[in-house]
Amino acid sequence: MLTQLKADEREAYLEQLARVVTPGVEFFLLALLAGALIGLGFRLDQRALLVAGALLAPRMAPLIGMALAAVSGSPRFFLRMTAGFLIAAALLAVVAGLTGGLAPRGEALLLARGHIKLNLIDFALVIAGAAWMAYALGREERLAPLPSAAVADELMLPLSAAAIGLLRADPALWQGAALTFALHFAWAAVAAVG
């Protein structure tokens, strides 16, 4: 689509999309609130709280912004979107880790352990969600909430489980969940660019 536009039209179009994907203060506040819900959901083994955390999680605009920067060839915008995503992810992980990781040692945290292994359904969901978000941004110039929630679920839950594992000094939990997060993140970025 970008190749069919003239240079000035392409510039205006990219600026419009950049405004849509640039995170604001509410992005980081939602990351904090989502982290609290996800951490509490893992601590209490309540799926409803995990779903609420994923739905409340900020839209994955910086992820799509990184893909947009890669396609448009803007390293500065790419770094800005990466920094925004990493800050929000760190805020969410710290809050989720503190909320869920301070559970008594005897608790098994079964739902958190569910994120230490890769599975094809989660993998397909994160790829489809990222591709749908990129398509909606390109065609409708907006961030679609449903695929964003799916991607947030597949990224933020393993990230939160890793933070809980770190706080509890559980290497199997934090290493497995961190690997799941990293693979989901990498393939979501690839799907968004494609």
Side-chain angles (χ1 to χ4, degrees):
M1 192 171 161
L2 288 175
T3 59
Q4 299 171 355
L5 298 174
K6 294 178 184 173
D8 56 339
E9 292 173 337
R10 182 172 46 239
E11 185 75 25
Y13 179 69
L14 288 173
E15 284 181 24
Q16 164 100 14
L17 294 181
R19 277 193 294 277
V20 171
V21 298
T22 300
V25 173
E26 73 280 349
F27 180 80
F28 302 106
L29 291 176
L30 286 174
L32 289 170
L33 292 173
L37 281 175
I38 292 170
L40 197 58
F42 280 141
R43 181 176 182 169
L44 300 175
D45 278 331
Q46 293 293 316
R47 290 186 195 277
L49 290 173
L50 297 178
V51 170
L55 291 173
L56 186 62
R59 293 197 180 157
M60 297 287 101
L63 176 69
I64 298 302
M66 287 186 277
L68 179 64
V71 169
S72 66
S74 175
R76 184 172 165 222
F77 188 66
F78 181 82
L79 290 175
R80 221 172 73 201
M81 292 296 101
T82 302
F85 182 83
L86 291 176
I87 291 168
L91 290 172
L92 184 133
V94 166
V95 171
L98 290 174
T99 307
L102 295 177
R105 285 281 181 211
E107 292 186 22
L109 300 173
L110 296 176
L111 290 178
R113 295 201 180 283
H115 293 281
I116 62 174
K117 292 183 181 176
L118 296 174
N119 80 44
L120 290 176
I121 294 172
D122 289 338
F123 192 68
L125 184 62
V126 75
I127 289 174
W132 185 2
M133 281 183 5
Y135 178 81
L137 180 67
R139 297 289 181 220
E140 302 166 10
E141 299 179 15
R142 69 178 183 88
L143 288 169
L146 183 61
S148 181
V151 171
D153 179 72
E154 298 303 332
L155 292 178
M156 299 308 165
L157 294 182
L159 179 64
S160 298
I164 291 168
L166 270 174
L167 191 67
R168 293 175 62 98
D170 183 344
L173 179 58
W174 79 260
Q175 290 172 356
L179 180 62
T180 301
F181 167 76
L183 288 172
H184 283 184
F185 177 75
W187 280 101
V190 168
V193 170

